Amino acid sequence: MKLKDVKWRAMSGYDVATIHAIAAVVHPGFFETPQVLAERQRLYPTGAHLLEVNDRPVGYVLSHPWRLGTLPALNSLLGTIPADADTYYVHDLALLPLARGIGAAAHIVKALSKHAKARGFTTMSLIAVNASQGFWETHGFAVEHLPALTQKLLSYEPSARFMVKR
């Protein structure tokens, strides 16, 4: 990362209100309840991180194992992580504008990729929204067109894309 006093730390349950507030700014069109965000953190705490700049929360990432070619519905509880999970799914990477361009997103994507590989996942997957497709492509993700996902992707936005890194 390019700046001093910028760090990713493990997210805790106490951070849910903070990440909900960040999500409201970064993803106003993709509402998720605090309960959904808290469940993602609780089900897979290893994949939940908070970005701080000078000890101020400015971003977060939520990620977890999932099944390739399927997508959790927006604003839905998972219940459990599937026992047959075969991909590492990046549910959300959100940075406030002041945290963009400092290398923090690239840093956490690299860390998540190492984690996924260490856990034996041969793929990572996500839904690119908010014109983020180019960012994900620079990190090795490519759009995959799966007709079965068309309606679910449209529930996000018309330009939402399912992406996979192999």
Side-chain angles (χ1 to χ4, degrees):
M1 288 184 280
K2 299 177 185 175
L3 296 177
K4 188 179 176 192
D5 299 324
V6 176
K7 66 177 183 275
W8 285 98
R9 68 162 173 84
M11 184 187 297
S12 78
Y14 295 109
D15 296 315
V16 171
T18 298
I19 66 170
H20 190 253
I22 292 170
V25 172
V26 177
H27 302 304
F30 310 112
F31 177 79
E32 290 194 298
T33 66
Q35 293 80 8
V36 167
L37 301 172
E39 184 198 46
R40 297 293 196 282
Q41 184 277 329
R42 187 176 62 256
L43 287 176
Y44 202 74
T46 305
H49 305 276
L50 187 73
L51 176 65
E52 295 178 331
V53 173
N54 295 322
D55 297 321
R56 177 179 170 215
V58 295
Y60 68 90
V61 67
L62 292 167
S63 58
H64 54 81
W66 200 246
R67 286 184 212 102
L68 187 61
T70 66
L71 300 175
L74 185 63
N75 195 36
S76 65
L77 296 172
L78 301 178
T80 62
I81 299 295
D84 61 346
D86 60 355
T87 190
Y88 193 76
Y89 184 73
V90 180
H91 173 75
D92 194 7
L93 172 58
L95 303 180
L96 292 174
L98 70 94
R100 297 179 191 155
I102 61 173
H107 181 80
I108 198 65
V109 171
K110 189 179 294 184
L112 293 176
S113 295
K114 286 181 182 178
H115 173 74
K117 185 176 181 179
R119 293 291 314 265
F121 293 104
T122 58
T123 63
M124 293 178 70
S125 57
L126 56 87
I127 301 170
V129 296
N130 287 343
S132 64
Q133 180 179 332
F135 168 81
W136 292 110
E137 287 173 341
T138 65
H139 294 282
F141 287 80
V143 172
E144 291 215 0
H145 300 282
L146 300 176
L149 299 180
T150 301
Q151 288 306 312
K152 200 170 270 190
L153 289 169
L154 285 172
S155 74
Y156 285 81
E157 65 181 4
S159 63
R161 296 292 179 262
F162 178 64
M163 301 186 77
V164 177
K165 177 179 180 177
R166 298 190 180 277

